[in-house]
Amino acid sequence: MIAKNQGAKFAIGVDRLTTRKAAINGFNELLTKELLSISLLQIAPSSRADVDEYQKYKEDVENAINHVNDDHGTDEWRPIHYTNDSFSQAALARLYRDAHVGVVTPLQDGVNLAAKEYVAAQDPEDPGVLVLSKFAGGG
């Protein structure tokens, strides 16, 4: 699914689209300092596709992702892969296990199951790192 860059870490984020814009900006800053160091697969299933504000926000996020990819990507590699598709639990578990970094960045307080799912899927011999927003909740 993601064209791997030699030596780049693979990060995954699975959460609502409304939490993504700030994370994309942070990812952009990281790539400015450490180009080609990491690839992000952002899975943000559509939940409010019929709401005009949501559509505008989705366009803003997609524009931010395109900006990062244009600034830091190459002909063979894009730093951010973004999808609104839904994945089965088994497919997500495989992606979580393959990821070096799990990114959970809600901007509002709330329990986020993605963090628990990421940790549960890790190989105990070679676990990844979980990056949590202070608002991720601990439930």
Side-chain angles (χ1 to χ4, degrees):
M1 175 173 264
I2 291 183
K4 294 185 179 177
N5 182 51
Q6 190 69 10
K9 299 292 184 187
F10 167 43
I12 186 169
V14 180
D15 35 19
R16 288 185 303 250
L17 182 66
T18 55
T19 67
R20 288 294 85 208
K21 197 169 180 187
I24 300 303
N25 292 335
F27 197 72
N28 187 44
E29 289 179 31
L30 173 64
L31 288 168
T32 299
K33 296 175 186 170
E34 297 183 41
L35 185 60
L36 304 175
S37 62
I38 192 162
S39 291
L40 172 67
L41 171 59
Q42 179 56 56
I43 301 171
S46 295
S47 59
R48 299 175 183 99
D50 57 336
V51 177
D52 288 340
E53 285 182 20
Y54 182 86
Q55 284 299 332
K56 173 66 173 124
Y57 192 82
K58 181 178 181 230
E59 289 175 19
D60 290 347
V61 169
E62 290 171 353
N63 287 336
I65 289 169
N66 289 336
H67 176 76
V68 171
N69 284 338
D70 290 346
D71 284 356
H72 303 292
T74 67
D75 289 340
E76 297 83 32
W77 178 75
R78 291 181 304 149
I80 302 175
H81 298 263
Y82 165 74
T83 183
N84 293 117
D85 296 336
S86 295
F87 288 78
S88 69
Q89 279 303 118
L92 276 177
R94 284 190 298 275
L95 289 167
Y96 284 141
R97 191 170 185 94
D98 288 345
H100 301 103
V101 180
V103 182
V104 180
T105 58
L107 297 177
Q108 298 174 353
D109 188 20
V111 175
N112 197 307
L113 292 177
K116 292 179 182 180
E117 291 170 348
Y118 178 78
V119 170
Q122 294 306 293
D123 178 353
E125 301 297 319
D126 186 23
V129 174
L130 180 63
V131 177
L132 288 173
S133 160
K134 66 181 180 179
F135 300 112

